[in-house]
Each structure stands twice: as structure tokens, then as C-alpha cells.
Amino acid sequence: MKIFLILLALALIASSCGFHQYVWFISIGYGAAVALIGIGLFCLFPHALTVGTILQCALFIVYGCRLSGYLIYRDRKTAYTRRMKGEVKTNDGIPMGGKIGIWISAALLYTLQTSPVTFRLMNQKGSDVLCLVGLLISACGLILETTADLQKNKAKKKNPRRFVDTGLFRLVRCPNYFGEMIFWTGVFISGLNVYHSVIEWICAILGYGGIIYVMFGGARRLEIRQDKNYGNDPEYQKYKATTPIMIPFIPLYSVKKHKWLVA
């Protein structure tokens, strides 16, 4: 419990940037929290680290720094902030109680998402097949997510008024979200043989299920926004009708009507 509370405290510290700008609780603060948790695991378990767990912690740091760095660059160096004005929540009109609530719940989710690696270190399981398989899956997810972000950024620079349907976006409309889900699927799989109690299982499942829910919620918001921006474009309508929204080759083309996906 003490270890978990320390990691939660680190996530709270990293994501506190959201008090400056509300959306940062779940964007820049998200990446910063995962990176800081990775650093925290290095410091908390210096004698339990193995090659596999060192790589897992390092991957958290790389993942978090990449995500936060990309979001900062996008917000400051591109037209993204201007396009999103009025479509994302700002600090205006949000009570302090609401900010504190999202701050704590988001930090808790980040701590739960990374818990499979925490439990592996706590239970001194070292490196095994599942650790390495999960690590490989997570690395693939990180590469996929990074590639999708770069491809979208390049396409928007070339034609900022058109939706993106090139590169990975030919296969799925939200390849960056898909890459994110693959990353955390790898983390979850890596811990399947390390949980010692029902509580550990619940923590890992809540963390994994929580981020999958958040990703589908993000896909719903994106779909609503794209329908608003490109709904009258026949090419977009064809693209939307023939390209899965979240998972390649799975014929799920819309989540717009699923109002329970509010994240």
C-alpha cells in the first residue's frame, strides 16, 4: 500500500499542471505522470530490477516524455489550439471541486495503468516470457502511436482543411488511439502471472479497462468533431463508411451514438 501511495503522489504531482489548463490533467499531465512513475519505480526498487523490468520502466519514461513533448509542440507550434478553441474545456466556469475530482481520478487511473509493472517488482518476479512478450507488444504500440502522430502532423501541414486518410489512417481512423491501446495491452499482459491477490487483479483490470474506455471516449469525441467539420464532404463520408474507427479490420465504423462513452 505504501508503494502504491507513493506512486499515486508522483502521478498527482505530475498531473497538477491541469490546474493551469484543465485539459492538461488528461493530456500533458498524463504523459508526465507515466514518465514520473517510471522514474519512481527505478528509485523504489533498485535491488529488484532485472533486464525486463528495467526496460519496462524505461519504456514508461520514453512513452510519457514522447506524449507530453508531442502535445506541448502541437499546442505551441501548430494551429491545433486555434482549431480546438471552443471544443475543449478550459478553466473558465469549472469549479475547484471539479478540478480536484478529475485531478485525483486521473492520477489514480495512471497509477492503476502502470500497476502490472509495480506488482512485478513488488512480488520480485523478475523477467520471464510474459514480461518480454508484454514489453514487445508495448514497444509496437509506442511505435505505432508515434508514427500515426507524425503522419497526421505532416498531412495537416500539407492540407490543414482536409481530414487525414493517408498512411496508417488508411487502415483505421484513429491509429494513434489504437497504438495507445496496444501499448497498455502489453503492460497488462506482462503482469498476468504476477498478481498475488484479488486486489492486485482488480487494480490491473481497472487500469486496463479504464484506459480502453478513455480511448473509445476520445474516438467518439473525434468522430463528432470530424462530422461537424467534414460532414458535407462526400470523400469523408465514404472514408468514414469504409474505414474502421478504432481497430483495423474490425467492422466498427462509428461510436457516435454511444453516449455512455463520455470521457
Side-chain angles (χ1 to χ4, degrees):
M1 178 61 72
K2 181 180 178 182
I3 295 295
F4 188 85
L5 291 176
I6 291 173
L7 295 175
L8 176 59
L10 293 177
L12 287 167
I13 292 170
S15 59
S16 63
C17 59
F19 287 104
H20 175 70
Q21 190 166 323
Y22 182 81
V23 72
W24 288 0
F25 282 129
I26 53 174
S27 59
I28 295 172
Y30 172 29
V34 173
L36 191 55
I37 287 174
I39 294 171
L41 291 173
F42 272 129
C43 297
L44 290 168
F45 298 98
H47 303 298
L49 291 168
T50 60
V51 173
T53 51
I54 287 173
L55 291 175
Q56 285 184 307
C57 294
L59 201 59
F60 283 160
I61 298 171
V62 173
Y63 167 89
C65 290
R66 186 214 74 87
L67 178 59
S68 291
Y70 171 74
L71 293 174
I72 292 171
Y73 167 81
R74 185 187 67 181
D75 289 352
R76 295 194 174 188
K77 299 296 184 180
T78 72
Y80 179 82
T81 301
R82 295 192 296 274
R83 295 197 305 268
M84 294 297 291
K85 189 174 182 180
E87 297 184 21
V88 298
K89 292 183 179 179
T90 64
N91 286 344
D92 298 338
I94 299 175
M96 181 57 68
K99 294 178 183 179
I100 293 175
I102 187 64
W103 176 47
I104 294 175
S105 58
L108 179 60
L109 175 60
Y110 308 151
T111 309
L112 293 174
Q113 285 175 237
T114 55
S115 66
V117 178
T118 304
F119 295 141
R120 175 174 290 278
L121 289 166
M122 287 175 60
N123 298 330
Q124 298 184 358
K125 288 293 185 177
S127 302
D128 53 29
V129 173
L130 276 181
C131 175
L132 299 178
V133 169
L135 187 63
L136 179 61
I137 293 172
S138 292
C140 290
L142 178 59
I143 293 171
L144 179 61
E145 185 177 4
T146 302
T147 302
D149 285 339
L150 292 173
Q151 289 179 343
K152 185 173 183 178
N153 191 49
K154 181 179 180 180
K156 282 297 183 180
K157 283 184 177 180
K158 183 177 181 180
N159 191 348
R161 297 184 179 276
R162 191 180 191 279
F163 63 94
V164 180
D165 61 348
T166 55
L168 293 171
F169 291 84
R170 293 181 182 274
L171 299 176
V172 62
R173 303 210 309 274
C174 299
N176 47 349
Y177 293 166
F178 178 56
E180 177 104 358
M181 291 194 297
I182 290 178
F183 181 91
W184 293 108
T185 297
V187 173
F188 180 72
I189 288 175
S190 74
L192 289 178
N193 63 335
V194 306
Y195 311 128
H196 279 179
S197 66
V198 173
I199 293 178
E200 291 183 359
W201 273 102
I202 291 174
C203 287
I205 291 173
L206 285 177
Y208 180 61
I211 191 57
I212 297 301
Y213 174 83
V214 169
M215 288 298 101
F216 272 91
R220 179 177 179 269
R221 290 196 306 273
L222 178 63
E223 181 181 358
I224 292 172
R225 187 165 69 249
Q226 289 187 331
D227 283 355
K228 178 181 177 181
N229 294 336
Y230 313 116
N232 295 326
D233 185 342
E235 290 187 9
Y236 169 73
Q237 291 296 342
K238 180 180 179 181
Y239 173 66
K240 178 179 176 180
T242 56
T243 308
I245 188 168
M246 281 295 281
I247 305 175
F249 313 115
I250 300 298
L252 175 65
Y253 300 103
S254 175
V255 292
K256 183 177 180 179
K257 295 182 179 179
H258 299 306
K259 295 182 179 181
W260 54 274
L261 288 172
V262 179

